[in-house]
Amino acid sequence: MPSARENARMLSIDEARARVLAAVRPLPPTPVPVTDALDRVLCADVVAAGAVPPFANSAMDGFAVPPGAAGRRLPIVGESRAGHPASVALDGEQAIRISTGAMLPAGAEAVIMVERTREHPDGTVELDAEVAAGQNVRPAGDDVPAGEVLVRAGTRLGPAELGAAVSAGAASVVCGGRPRVEVISTGDELQEPGLPLGPGRLHDSNAVTVAALARRAGARDVRRAHAGDALRPTREAIGRALERADVVVLTGGVSVGPHDHVKPALDAAGVEEVFWRVALRPGKPTWFGTRDGVLVFGLPGNPVSAMVTFLLFARPALLALQGAEPHARRIRAELTQAMPRTPGRDELVRVTLDGSRATPTGPQGSHRLSSMLGAGGLAIVPAGEGELAAGTQVVVELL
Ligand code: AMP
Ligand code: MG
């Protein structure tokens, strides 16, 4: 067991994350058709090329009429439908039939809704209510004036952002590049999902969870590879991954046991170490380095450690590569149970959240992937002695 003094020399979570982010060079932005841009990160503000709506129009089905008193009976001189503006202007005490969203005829400044009118067979309409200037009219630019910034760079584009960009005239939007990721799981014990397990073997869950986390963080073309516990195959797998990926994520084999080959293999592949070991639990042996701009993470093999360290360090890097805000949202919440503290290491406790109350998901061993199920956040129990009492406020990083 390393002493608390040894632990104290390790980087904190925030220091380690800052070093990762300092190594990120965002991928070149490209124009992306709006139809393909869902979940992409916007890299240049969307500015409204024209006003939205582009013309003054009616908020109701009814009649465009001059403002005035109730009880008037006006001749119907034309019609304005969606996509088919009236061919005549409103000239004095007249009415033009109008549909919702249709262009307000020239000379018109108010609309009376159809429910407040009665049409007569002689081509006139009787107004049962007073009409005020501007009534039921949506002016041009009512939603967005021309030239206004509609969606800011850094936003992840959802359906509303895409629709707003289209309504303001955009056919494509400038988005950050999507990183290519290669996940290399290491370990002689690992078996493909679903295949029968021999003695001492287990299914390779990291390759699937880590690839899924990468995809969720916006990665494209996420590939998986496996290397056994020997230097040469590990070195070769790293070499292949470095050729094609922007980010390489290894899991397992990053400690100092006789069968841990990841660090020497990274060294042999020319990947330069930025840090190894972070004062956190789970995930202490986390390794990070770079080669020619490719970011390389060596995550510990225990399934929870791999997920937690991916979320803390690799996810922010993937987001920053795309031009997005890298930091997960943090809230303050109250622990509903006492939690033991670890000397020299912050502990990331998987919690469910109910408002500002954080409840641990159950036993927190780094091999218990079930502790991630249903977790809404990672509560940070600060390093220290003894325990944190129930009711203590902690910082929770939201998942
Ligand atoms: P390691 O970091 O290689 O020492 O692995 C630590 C623990 O995590 C061991 O119990 C491994 O069997 C387990 N482990 C390593 N890699 C994986 C993986 N890809 N999927 C599931 N468990 C793993
Ligand atoms: Mg291993």
Side-chain angles (χ1 to χ4, degrees):
M1 267 301 262
S3 68
R5 237 183 98 248
E6 265 179 300
N7 282 342
R9 286 201 302 270
M10 291 187 278
L11 294 182
S12 70
I13 295 169
D14 288 348
E15 286 166 344
R17 184 149 48 187
R19 293 205 188 176
V20 169
L21 291 174
V24 171
R25 302 285 166 267
L27 298 170
T30 48
V32 178
V34 285
T35 44
D36 296 333
L38 181 64
D39 289 336
R40 297 288 296 267
V41 178
L42 189 66
C43 279
D45 292 348
V46 173
V47 177
V52 186
F55 49 85
N57 65 87
S58 176
M60 294 285 172
D61 287 329
F63 293 89
V65 295
R72 288 174 293 159
R73 186 159 167 174
L74 308 176
I76 303 168
V77 298
E79 181 174 19
S80 176
R81 293 161 53 200
H84 303 278
S87 52
V88 292
L90 196 66
D91 184 15
E93 290 295 307
Q94 299 177 332
I96 291 178
R97 191 188 307 279
I98 192 163
S99 316
T100 304
M103 190 169 175
L104 206 66
E109 51 174 320
V111 169
I112 184 167
M113 65 198 288
V114 68
E115 292 87 342
R116 296 283 155 75
T117 66
R118 274 169 298 146
E119 237 181 293
H120 294 285
D122 66 353
T124 61
V125 59
E126 202 170 335
L127 313 187
D128 290 342
E130 190 188 347
V131 180
Q135 189 173 316
N136 295 324
V137 171
R138 303 167 178 156
D142 192 27
D143 186 8
V144 185
E148 188 172 285
V149 174
L150 199 52
V151 192
R152 297 234 167 246
T155 306
R156 191 171 287 281
L157 295 166
E161 286 76 18
L162 293 172
V166 169
S167 68
S172 67
V173 279
V174 178
C175 296
R178 299 177 67 200
R180 291 160 302 172
V181 171
E182 181 133 343
V183 179
I184 305 171
S185 51
T186 73
D188 285 347
E189 74 279 31
L190 301 179
Q191 176 62 291
E192 284 287 307
L195 293 187
L197 295 173
R201 315 240 1 229
L202 51 89
H203 290 121
D204 181 353
S205 62
N206 286 348
V208 173
T209 50
V210 170
L213 287 168
R215 227 172 266 128
R216 202 160 255 178
R220 70 179 167 101
D221 192 13
V222 179
R223 295 199 196 174
R224 291 185 287 137
H226 171 257
D229 288 317
L231 183 60
R232 209 167 129 194
T234 308
R235 155 88 184 77
E236 285 168 0
I238 291 168
R240 283 190 295 272
L242 286 169
E243 290 310 311
R244 57 160 298 274
D246 302 302
V247 176
V248 179
V249 185
L250 295 113
T251 75
V254 78
S255 296
V256 288
H259 307 293
D260 290 330
H261 298 285
V262 166
K263 288 190 335 111
L266 286 164
D267 189 42
V271 186
E272 212 169 303
E273 178 179 311
V274 175
F275 64 78
W276 176 55
R277 304 212 305 171
V278 183
L280 83 119
R281 180 179 159 165
K284 181 170 96 168
T286 301
W287 190 99
F288 172 68
T290 63
R291 197 191 82 174
D292 302 332
V294 180
L295 309 177
V296 183
F297 295 88
L299 307 182
N302 269 307
V304 178
S305 312
M307 283 194 80
V308 166
T309 54
F310 185 97
L311 289 165
L312 291 179
F313 306 115
R315 181 175 182 276
L318 292 176
L319 295 178
L321 282 165
Q322 296 164 76
E325 160 60 40
H327 297 285
R329 212 154 68 78
R330 286 180 164 194
I331 61 165
R332 294 192 72 81
E334 188 179 298
L335 275 180
T336 61
Q337 298 170 13
M339 291 304 293
R341 303 172 71 176
T342 305
R345 288 198 279 161
D346 290 348
E347 175 142 4
L348 287 129
V349 177
R350 284 74 74 198
V351 295
T352 57
L353 288 163
D354 174 14
S356 63
R357 290 159 55 82
T359 302
T361 50
Q364 296 283 314
S366 62
H367 61 297
R368 291 182 184 265
L369 197 48
S370 59
S371 69
M372 287 294 304
L373 297 176
L378 301 172
I380 303 175
V381 172
E385 309 283 340
E387 64 171 33
L388 219 53
T392 308
Q393 288 263 324
V394 289
V395 170
V396 179
E397 198 155 302
L398 300 183
L399 294 178

